[in-house]
Amino acid sequence: MKNKGKLLLTLFLITWAVFSIVLFVKQAPNYLVKSYFQSDTFQSTKESFIDQLGHYVLMPFDAEKAKETINVTQGEIEEYRYRYGSLTEQVESIQSQYRGRIMEAEESKDSTLKELLIEERDKKIADIKANFESDDYVKEKIRKQKEQLIDEYAAEQEKYKKSFLNEFSYFSYHFVNIDNGKKFESGTQQKSDLFTESYEDKNPLIVNNSVNINSYDNNVYSEVQDTIPEFQIDGESARYEGSFSIPKSMLSSSNLGTDYQYFNIAKITFIVIWVTGILAIVGLFTFARPKMDMFRESSNVKDAFLRLPIDVRIILIIVVSFISFGLMEYIGNSLINNIIYFNPINLITSSVEELIFLFIVFISVAAIIFGITWTWDSIKNEPKIEEQLKNAMLYRLADGLRDLFLNRSLGVQSVAILIIFFLAGIGFVGASYSVELLMIYILLLFFIGLPAGILFLRRIGYLNRIMRQTEDMARGRLTNDIKVKGKSPLAKHAANLNALREGVKKSMSEQAKSERLKTELITNVSHDLRTPLTSIITYTDLLKNPDLTDEQRKQYIDVLDKKSARLKTLIEDLFEVSKMASGNIEITKQKLDLTQLVQQAIGEHEEAFSLSNLELRILMPEEPLYAYVDGQKMWRVIDNLIVNTLKYSLEGTRVYVTLKQIGSNIEFSVKNVSKYELNENVQELTERFKRADASRHTDGSGLGLAIAQSIVDLHNGRLTVEVDGDLFKVTVTIVGNS
């Protein structure tokens, strides 16, 4: 009896120690070193307050100002116009809607109703026709609908503002707009404030009042929802300095005080649990001093447990451990809920529930300790541990499946035969009981058994065909697709093999292309480097002639200077594109106005365009378009594309340079008519030393588009090349930043 009492005490101390450790791991980060104002709950409340303060107080939504920024795009006009079909379809729909009602009015001889219905119908038809006749008419309708949505949104914001002021009344704030000096104050700050957070000029509070007007967010349904679901109102950003605080007096007059008190009670509760847990650990090492022998007593439960396969025993221990830890965590959360949502009746119920769960945890911990001890002893004392592993359930299952599917076809057939015999045996036994069951068995045999057998044979035949064509693929014969029949796993396998075949063909094609481009690269590099180098050698030899005149010597030196600069440019471009391709280059992004960058690039080459007999057409917005880019490298992209048009455009034609914003992206494009025939693959024009001028009459290095492509890739953008006859267009798309 004494030994059993010590065993129970030891198990209880272990259970309580583990329980306190689990609660310490889960709750210590929230309660041990943090005050209430550092807790996740308060931080979430604070962030919510700051966000709503900016939207409802510092920079509230201005409906009239928002209406002034309304913009109606051509896409919105077209979508509104064709939302319910073409003109004829919409007119027919209106007529069909009123046809029956007009006929009913005629039958009832109600001429007034008939005239009203006809007038209403004709008015709607006239409105539809006006939609297709005038963009301005549709534009004005859309504008009015957007204004209606803005008014609805503003009304909702007023409601939310009142709710915000009531909910966060315990906060006191003092903020000043850094740009215009406007002040926003609520309450007074005192030295005894419980919590204060400040924003200075170096680290201001930044508020942006841009909004998405979404009619589906409104509580009142409006027909506008069917036509204008959402649109953007671009607002402004402002910086504020100041602070917000929570006066001590608010503890007793708001929910904050209750939360503050509950947090401290929960903190004390957990500290008590952790201290008692430490005492339990001390007790285990002092007066309890458990020994392994006390868990090794023989019993029927132990014998039954050890008869289980070793992997089943381990799985049971792991499952019970997870259940125990889950219950411990649940008890900790339940304690917090009882404190926060205090209710005497619920407290009694929850306490009883927690005691029951603690008892279950006690039983589970005891089972885990006994299970680990018994399993360890069986492994340690067993002379042949390999025998236990071979008797494990998972090992036997894996070994059986491996042997069964050494030949996949035979394995599938064996499984199918087993299923058929199993079902046939059940059916035969059932049919032997009565004539009715025999008739059912015969029906099932003809309508299920035989079709299943035929399907099985067809699948085996299909599998053999797939295997034969797979062998052909392995021998390199990639001409014929494997026929995909149905949606069975075999059909999916055939589809995968077809995809693999296409991948192999594509890989072989890409390899051939790579070899061709490699050869062309070597040839082009040799040609482009040899040409200026030959000139340098030739004119250097000419300069050795002592009989040269000063004029000739000057001409030769000028040629040497140009060819040297040409050679230097080629080598620098080659090194730069190689560094970009290898990723050994860094970019420094900053917020830049791409409109200004393009204007500057065009300004540098404006004189060259006029001298080259090219008409430059520039299409870009007046307002700035911002993006986070490396200004120097993005300048290189824009400059390369503009210089390309100077080199390769047909004289007397127009060159179009366009900059615009599409959604959240900014798109820069250059379009021109080439003076050379564009026979090259479009995708290869961005390869190194590729030119539209295949004869290489121009001074280009052939690296311009390759460098531009690499720079755009470094910015996670997209560069596309389009060719339509002699029309050449390059488009660069990058992510904007409004």
Side-chain angles (χ1 to χ4, degrees), residues 285-504:
F285 286 97
T286 54
F287 59 86
R289 293 183 182 179
K291 297 180 180 179
M292 294 297 294
D293 292 338
M294 63 195 311
F295 304 115
R296 291 178 174 143
E297 294 183 4
S298 299
S299 64
N300 294 332
V301 176
K302 179 179 179 181
D303 295 337
F305 181 76
L306 292 177
R307 282 196 295 269
L308 297 173
I310 187 170
D311 54 344
V312 174
R313 281 182 265 160
I314 294 173
I315 291 172
L316 283 175
I317 293 171
I318 293 173
V319 170
V320 174
S321 299
F322 275 110
I323 293 173
S324 300
F325 292 140
L327 287 175
M328 292 177 190
E329 186 176 354
Y330 173 81
I331 293 169
N333 294 331
S334 180
L335 286 173
I336 297 174
N337 290 332
N338 288 339
I339 294 170
I340 295 176
Y341 306 106
F342 177 77
N343 186 304
I345 298 176
N346 292 338
L347 180 62
I348 297 173
T349 305
S350 299
S351 299
V352 173
E353 183 181 86
E354 290 164 8
L355 289 174
I356 293 173
F357 283 141
L358 274 174
F359 179 74
I360 295 174
V361 168
F362 173 77
I363 299 298
S364 301
V365 171
I368 294 168
I369 294 173
F370 281 111
I372 293 174
T373 303
W374 295 340
T375 302
W376 172 250
D377 287 343
S378 69
I379 295 173
K380 184 178 64 174
N381 298 328
E382 181 67 37
K384 295 182 180 180
I385 186 63
E386 294 83 1
E387 293 296 327
Q388 287 200 56
L389 295 177
K390 288 182 180 179
N391 290 328
M393 181 182 65
L394 294 177
Y395 180 87
R396 286 182 291 177
L397 179 62
D399 189 56
L401 291 175
R402 181 186 60 190
D403 292 342
L404 178 63
F405 287 95
L406 286 175
N407 185 303
R408 182 175 297 179
S409 176
L410 181 61
V412 172
Q413 293 179 37
S414 299
V415 171
I417 290 172
L418 285 173
I419 294 173
I420 291 172
F421 272 104
F422 178 74
L423 295 177
I426 293 176
F428 180 77
V429 172
S432 63
Y433 281 95
S434 65
V435 178
E436 291 81 2
L437 291 177
L438 177 62
M439 296 300 297
I440 295 174
Y441 176 75
I442 293 173
L443 290 174
L444 293 176
L445 179 64
F446 276 97
F447 290 100
I448 296 179
L450 288 179
I454 295 172
L455 179 62
F456 171 74
L457 294 176
R458 289 180 63 185
R459 292 285 173 84
I460 294 297
Y462 187 34
L463 176 61
N464 288 333
R465 181 180 299 177
I466 292 174
M467 292 176 63
R468 176 169 295 181
Q469 290 189 274
T470 304
E471 291 176 359
D472 292 340
M473 289 175 59
R475 295 190 180 102
R477 295 194 288 269
L478 306 174
T479 54
N480 296 325
D481 278 345
I482 300 175
K483 188 175 181 180
V484 179
K485 299 167 61 177
K487 297 182 179 180
S488 65
L490 290 178
K492 293 179 180 179
H493 181 59
N496 291 334
L497 287 174
N498 287 334
L500 178 62
R501 168 184 164 278
E502 291 299 323
V504 172

Side-chain angles (χ1 to χ4, degrees), residues 475-662:
R475 295 190 180 102
R477 295 194 288 269
L478 306 174
T479 54
N480 296 325
D481 278 345
I482 300 175
K483 188 175 181 180
V484 179
K485 299 167 61 177
K487 297 182 179 180
S488 65
L490 290 178
K492 293 179 180 179
H493 181 59
N496 291 334
L497 287 174
N498 287 334
L500 178 62
R501 168 184 164 278
E502 291 299 323
V504 172
K505 289 179 67 177
K506 184 177 180 181
S507 177
M508 294 172 64
S509 175
E510 290 292 332
Q511 184 177 2
K513 177 185 174 183
S514 177
E515 292 296 328
R516 176 172 59 82
L517 290 177
K518 187 188 298 182
T519 303
E520 290 182 5
L521 174 62
I522 295 172
T523 303
N524 292 335
V525 169
S526 301
H527 177 275
D528 286 351
L529 294 178
R530 186 173 61 246
T531 300
L533 186 60
T534 302
S535 298
I536 291 172
I537 295 171
T538 301
Y539 281 94
T540 302
D541 290 338
L542 290 174
L543 283 172
K544 294 177 182 179
N545 186 356
D547 299 330
L548 290 175
T549 65
D550 290 341
E551 183 65 27
Q552 288 176 324
R553 192 178 302 277
K554 182 180 179 181
Q555 291 178 357
Y556 293 166
I557 291 174
D558 288 341
V559 173
L560 284 174
D561 185 56
K562 292 179 181 178
K563 297 301 179 181
S564 299
R566 166 71 175 153
L567 187 61
K568 178 184 177 183
T569 300
L570 283 171
I571 294 173
E572 287 178 348
D573 285 352
L574 182 60
F575 273 111
E576 185 171 358
V577 78
S578 298
K579 285 196 298 181
M580 290 181 181
S582 62
N584 296 326
I585 190 168
E586 295 182 356
I587 60 174
T588 304
K589 293 184 179 181
Q590 56 183 338
K591 188 175 181 180
L592 291 179
D593 179 9
L594 294 186
T595 304
Q596 184 178 6
L597 200 65
V598 174
Q599 288 174 345
Q600 291 175 356
I602 293 172
E604 286 199 7
H605 300 287
E606 196 166 2
E607 184 177 351
F609 271 103
S610 61
L611 294 176
S612 61
N613 193 21
L614 293 173
E615 186 177 348
L616 184 62
R617 293 294 180 87
I618 304 169
L619 302 173
M620 66 176 66
E622 296 180 359
E623 66 273 7
L625 296 179
Y626 291 104
Y628 277 104
V629 296
D630 187 313
Q632 183 179 2
K633 291 180 174 57
M634 191 54 63
W635 167 272
R636 183 74 181 273
V637 173
I638 297 170
D639 188 68
N640 279 0
L641 297 181
I642 293 175
V643 169
N644 272 354
T645 62
L646 284 169
K647 292 178 180 177
Y648 300 114
S649 295
L650 182 66
E651 294 183 359
T653 60
R654 298 184 183 91
V655 175
Y656 291 89
V657 178
T658 304
L659 180 71
K660 59 184 176 180
Q661 181 157 4
I662 301 179

